Amino acid sequence: MTVYAIIGGTGLTELDGLTISAVLNLDTPYGAPSAPVLRGNYAGREVLFLARHGHPHRIAPHQVNYRANLWALKHAGAQAIVAVNAVGGIHPAMGTGHFCVPHQIIDYTSGREHTFFEGELEHVTHVDFSYPYDAALREQLTAALATGGCAFSGEGVYACTQGPRLETVAEIARLERDGCDIVGMTGMPEAVLARELELPYACLALVVNPAAGKSTGIITMAEIEQALAEGIDKVKAVLARVLAE
Ligand code: HPA
């Protein structure tokens, strides 16, 4: 059976209901991951869990050691990765509380360590990244969302910005012209590093605020926290359904 790893984002620094069998303090050639990798049983299934921002939540999106995180999960035995990401909604369908399982991503980040393929290489390697997310894993997520009666979009384009600040209204208007539906800060380089390690990867995105200029006011941490508090049980239920299948 496939060993899934879950990368928990903001609002999901721990997975209650996970019966932990091992706490793996792993070191990698790229340094330490954000937190120990937890191995355990969730929904009757062996699973690995890693808190992307550390536990407690303390590592900003641009400072996450994505290479160490992906390397650690691969070496702990992960065979597929479900990433959970809190995002802002750009497309009118992406209201607060809506889920999106993106099919594409545009990388607007800069200066992040974004590849394993550097330094003294035998060959320069260019991985195919036409379709950044694994189709079968996306289907499992959308099926679980549908069964759970969640409002969701089965596709969407994820804009990954550098953060940690939120965007300006003009930046969001530009992302919209680029065809982006949701915006977050952690989708890249995570997705491409998974691809470089040949790990199927998909993203379960929860909209926690309308992106800049998409509502009448400004964006507050309070509204984001409230949306996370309201949505997180649904996230856990979706993950449980995916694993139970
Ligand atoms: N922009 C970028 N990242 C985010 C947002 C946003 O509006 N909301 C949650 N993560």
Side-chain angles (χ1 to χ4, degrees):
M1 274 237 264
T2 310
V3 178
Y4 287 86
I6 294 163
I7 301 181
T10 306
L12 191 69
T13 52
E14 54 191 337
L15 193 60
D16 34 75
L18 176 72
T19 315
I20 299 170
S21 57
V23 177
L24 308 170
N25 283 296
L26 299 167
D27 197 14
T28 80
Y30 307 97
S34 299
V37 173
L38 305 180
R39 174 176 291 137
N41 189 291
Y42 189 68
R45 176 86 175 253
E46 185 191 356
V47 70
L48 299 165
F49 178 80
L50 177 60
R52 183 186 290 115
H53 299 278
H55 179 52
H57 186 292
R58 63 187 166 81
I59 308 169
H62 63 295
Q63 292 180 317
V64 169
N65 189 339
Y66 295 95
R67 292 196 298 183
N69 286 355
L70 274 290
W71 186 272
L73 289 173
K74 173 96 180 176
H75 288 263
Q79 294 171 322
I81 295 187
V82 176
V84 180
N85 301 71
V87 297
I90 300 177
H91 189 280
M94 307 288 169
T96 298
H98 197 78
F99 284 93
C100 180
V101 180
H103 70 300
Q104 282 292 332
I105 189 162
I106 301 180
D107 188 0
Y108 298 94
T109 68
S110 57
R112 300 184 181 189
E113 299 288 358
H114 62 283
T115 181
F116 293 112
F117 297 138
E118 62 180 17
E120 296 293 310
L121 296 174
E122 279 173 31
H123 326 271
V124 176
T125 306
H126 302 286
V127 292
D128 175 74
F129 202 48
S130 310
Y131 302 99
Y133 300 107
D134 183 76
L137 214 45
R138 287 184 48 236
E139 260 173 44
Q140 285 172 262
L141 284 169
T142 52
L145 285 160
T147 311
C150 301
F152 74 97
S153 300
E155 57 178 43
V157 180
Y158 180 131
C160 187
T161 56
Q162 175 70 350
R165 67 167 178 85
L166 295 161
E167 298 72 33
T168 66
V169 170
E171 284 168 339
I172 293 297
R174 172 192 166 205
L175 299 185
E176 190 168 27
R177 287 193 299 275
D178 283 355
C180 299
D181 301 301
I182 53 176
V183 56
M185 302 174 189
T186 49
M188 285 292 282
E190 200 171 88
V192 74
L193 292 169
R195 178 62 52 86
E196 288 187 355
L197 294 177
E198 298 180 354
L199 285 168
Y201 176 98
C203 162
L204 175 63
L206 170 65
V207 179
V208 294
N209 59 280
K214 295 295 171 188
S215 68
T216 46
I218 60 163
I219 302 164
T220 66
M221 278 311 289
E223 72 173 292
I224 291 180
E225 278 159 18
Q226 192 187 333
L228 280 168
E230 286 169 12
I232 213 67
D233 285 344
K234 287 187 193 158
V235 169
K236 290 176 188 163
V238 169
L239 295 173
R241 251 177 261 121
V242 167
L243 293 172
E245 284 305 305

